[in-house]
Amino acid sequence: MERVGIRGGTIRSRLLLVVLSALLPTAILSAIQGATAFENARRLVTDRLRANASALAESERDPFIIARHALSFAAEQKAVREYTPDCSAVLATALRGAEGLINFLRTDSEGKAQCSVLPFDRGRDMSRDQWWIESRGKPGLVVSTPQIGSISKQPVLIMVRPLFKPDGSFDGTLSAGIGLKRLSLSLQNKQKGHLGRVFVVNRKGDPVLQIPSNTFTAIPDVALAQSEMRETRASDDSTWTYVAAPLFGDDLYVIYAEPNGSVMATQVAQMRFAIGLQLLTLLLTSLAIWLGAHWLILRWMHRLQGLTTRFASGDFTGERHAYAAAPKEVTELADRMHDMAEEIDRHQKQLQAALTIETALTREVHHRVKNNLQIVTSLLTLQSERLSDPLARDVVGQAKARIAALALIHRLLYEEQRGGEKGTINVCHLLTELCAQLRSANRDRTGIALECESSDSALSVDQAVPVALFTVEALTNAFRHAFVSGPGGTIHVGYSDQNGVAVLRISDNGSGFIADAARPQMGLDLMEAFATQLSGEMEVASSPAGAVLTLTFAVAEALHDAED
């Protein structure tokens, strides 16, 4: 009778007897009270730190506001826009009275200096300076990292305003140099009245100006630090609490940091005591629950865990009888799990059969599409033989090459069963076959050697199609135009894929590419269209020693993750 009573009990009723003897409710209330008190104290400290940071940011914001307005004023002046002989004088007028600013500089669209308040070499190339590269063509204001000004020879932050013509094309930059020496002295003086450290960082959290230097290497979570306290480690491995306040837009921030030991020392001590008391209470409660629940519940849970592990590995052998003495809920759960395993086993067999059929149908579709495209190619061949116009025969030949490339993709999907199932194409096989086809189509050009080199990687069908058509256009153009002035040469096709970025490079050592606006450039237009379809970029480089076509694009993310 006693055994029947135990078997009839529920997990809830058995745990209730143990939990009622514990002090869990009291521990919870104590934890809530302690957490509330700690949060209130933390909020007060946060408000104090934010007030300090905001006041410091407000006091140092003037040079940046002045620079922004001065740049806006100067950018509207015709002399600055067109960098006439009066340009430097206009910039000097804008700089007059602008406290904290050192210089104004106007560069043209190629990065050459055209006018400046300080003496300078007209035409000096600034295009390799980091501040010019970062701001080129970007809308809005850009603030550089700290550096020594190329003209002022002083430590500065450079605020850049890119300029644009009425048609929207880039027209160079107008920049202002904000002196760091004055800002450094000001922050140093203000820091004397505070317990913590004051410094300036950019939007990434990299220190722009800090006193003393090298105290912090980087400040994480600058955006979050505007609304709540955050923690970081200094270079001496000490822990600091900090907040942030915007100094200029979302480009620069003032960071105010204090050592953790001085921020919330009393509150932390009280919180530790409360947490220790709660942990002791929970430890005793957990011990009581464990001793009571282990025999009644946990041993059955461990057994169920082993059952689910076996089911997950594909072994659906049941053992319903082993749970006859378990609590009612465990017995019912074990029964449901066995029912589920039997149903999964049945569905798995059905799905496997359906997948086999679907794989065969998919391969058959690719095979038929390939055959149909080959028929189209044959029809075009017959039609081409009847044409007397060389231009028309050439156009039909190009169409045959494009259709043959599509047929090749479907053939590879049919022949490579695993790739066909995943909808992927082996790039090495694709490019090797394409080169062989185009070499055969241009067999009369015996003096031209065609080399093909590719990494052993895969592309989805959606990307393989434009890559194949791009290759066809590029090689066709190379065969037709690269060696018109000589007996022959070499065409090289190379493909690589690193970290999800693919690079297809097609080069030759012919006479170079000559763009002629009077002649149609359908091949280039098609290649640009294929590059756009891949969301990639095409670059054309040409010289008397040959031409290079480079296509760069990102490999489909889902495919790249699957390969990893």
Side-chain angles (χ1 to χ4, degrees), residues 8-47:
T10 64
I11 295 178
R12 185 181 293 108
S13 63
R14 297 177 185 186
L15 280 178
L16 183 60
L17 296 176
V18 179
V19 173
L20 288 178
S21 64
L23 299 176
L24 186 58
T26 303
I28 292 175
L29 292 176
S30 299
I32 294 174
Q33 182 180 7
T36 302
F38 183 80
E39 187 60 34
N40 290 336
R42 182 181 178 84
R43 189 178 297 111
L44 291 175
V45 174
T46 300
D47 292 340

Side-chain angles (χ1 to χ4, degrees), residues 7 11 99 155 182 478 488 507:
R7 290 182 60 186
I11 295 178
E99 185 179 359
R182 175 188 173 280
S507 60

Side-chain angles (χ1 to χ4, degrees), residues 137-150:
K138 293 184 179 179
L141 295 174
V142 178
V143 179
S144 74
T145 55
Q147 56 193 274
I148 301 299
S150 300

Side-chain angles (χ1 to χ4, degrees), residues 292-308:
H294 179 73
W295 176 254
L296 299 175
I297 301 171
L298 294 180
R299 63 190 183 111
W300 297 108
M301 295 297 102
H302 291 316
R303 195 160 191 168
L304 284 175
Q305 183 180 10
L307 181 66
T308 56

Side-chain angles (χ1 to χ4, degrees), residues 303-347:
R303 195 160 191 168
L304 284 175
Q305 183 180 10
L307 181 66
T308 56
T309 301
R310 195 169 72 251
F311 285 168
S313 66
D315 180 6
F316 299 107
T317 305
E319 51 177 26
R320 293 177 186 265
H321 63 279
Y323 297 89
K328 182 171 64 176
E329 289 86 347
V330 175
T331 302
E332 293 176 352
L333 178 59
D335 287 339
R336 300 292 81 77
M337 290 174 62
H338 280 85
D339 294 341
M340 177 184 67
E342 293 169 359
E343 188 68 16
I344 290 174
D345 188 30
R346 185 176 63 83
H347 279 289

Side-chain angles (χ1 to χ4, degrees), residues 257-475:
E258 290 186 0
N260 273 16
S262 63
V263 176
M264 298 184 65
T266 303
Q267 291 81 1
V268 169
Q270 293 175 351
M271 190 64 182
R272 286 176 177 173
F273 176 78
I275 291 175
L277 185 60
Q278 294 162 21
L279 288 177
L280 180 60
T281 302
L282 290 175
L283 179 62
L284 296 176
T285 303
S286 300
L287 180 60
I289 292 175
W290 175 261
L291 294 176
H294 179 73
W295 176 254
L296 299 175
I297 301 171
L298 294 180
R299 63 190 183 111
W300 297 108
M301 295 297 102
H302 291 316
R303 195 160 191 168
L304 284 175
Q305 183 180 10
L307 181 66
T308 56
T309 301
R310 195 169 72 251
F311 285 168
S313 66
D315 180 6
F316 299 107
T317 305
E319 51 177 26
R320 293 177 186 265
H321 63 279
Y323 297 89
K328 182 171 64 176
E329 289 86 347
V330 175
T331 302
E332 293 176 352
L333 178 59
D335 287 339
R336 300 292 81 77
M337 290 174 62
H338 280 85
D339 294 341
M340 177 184 67
E342 293 169 359
E343 188 68 16
I344 290 174
D345 188 30
R346 185 176 63 83
H347 279 289
Q348 188 176 24
K349 293 176 180 177
Q350 293 176 349
L351 288 173
Q352 186 61 44
L355 179 61
T356 302
I357 296 173
E358 182 182 358
T359 300
L361 290 175
T362 301
R363 296 183 71 244
E364 180 64 22
V365 167
H366 289 306
H367 182 58
R368 295 194 179 193
V369 171
K370 182 262 297 183
N371 289 343
N372 290 338
L373 291 175
Q374 287 180 341
I375 292 173
V376 173
T377 303
S378 300
L379 292 174
L380 289 175
T381 301
L382 293 175
Q383 187 65 41
S384 175
E385 293 174 353
R386 297 169 179 258
L387 295 174
S388 59
D389 185 355
L391 179 60
R393 291 172 65 91
D394 185 51
V395 170
V396 173
Q398 292 183 51
K400 285 171 52 183
R402 295 162 187 156
I403 295 173
L406 297 176
L408 172 60
I409 289 176
H410 286 281
R411 178 167 69 81
L412 292 176
L413 285 171
Y414 171 73
E415 293 176 351
E416 299 178 9
Q417 183 173 358
R418 292 187 61 190
E421 291 175 359
K422 296 189 292 186
T424 60
I425 297 291
N426 184 287
V427 183
C428 183
H429 295 171
L430 174 63
L431 293 180
T432 301
E433 294 275 3
L434 275 179
C435 289
Q437 287 183 0
L438 291 168
R439 175 69 275 178
S440 176
N442 294 275
R443 54 185 173 273
D444 56 321
R445 304 298 301 274
T446 57
I448 301 176
L450 178 58
E451 300 174 349
C452 183
E453 182 180 0
S454 171
S455 60
D456 190 14
S457 55
L459 286 176
S460 66
V461 176
D462 291 340
Q463 290 192 314
V465 170
V467 167
L469 295 177
F470 182 96
T471 305
V472 169
E473 296 300 325
L475 290 180

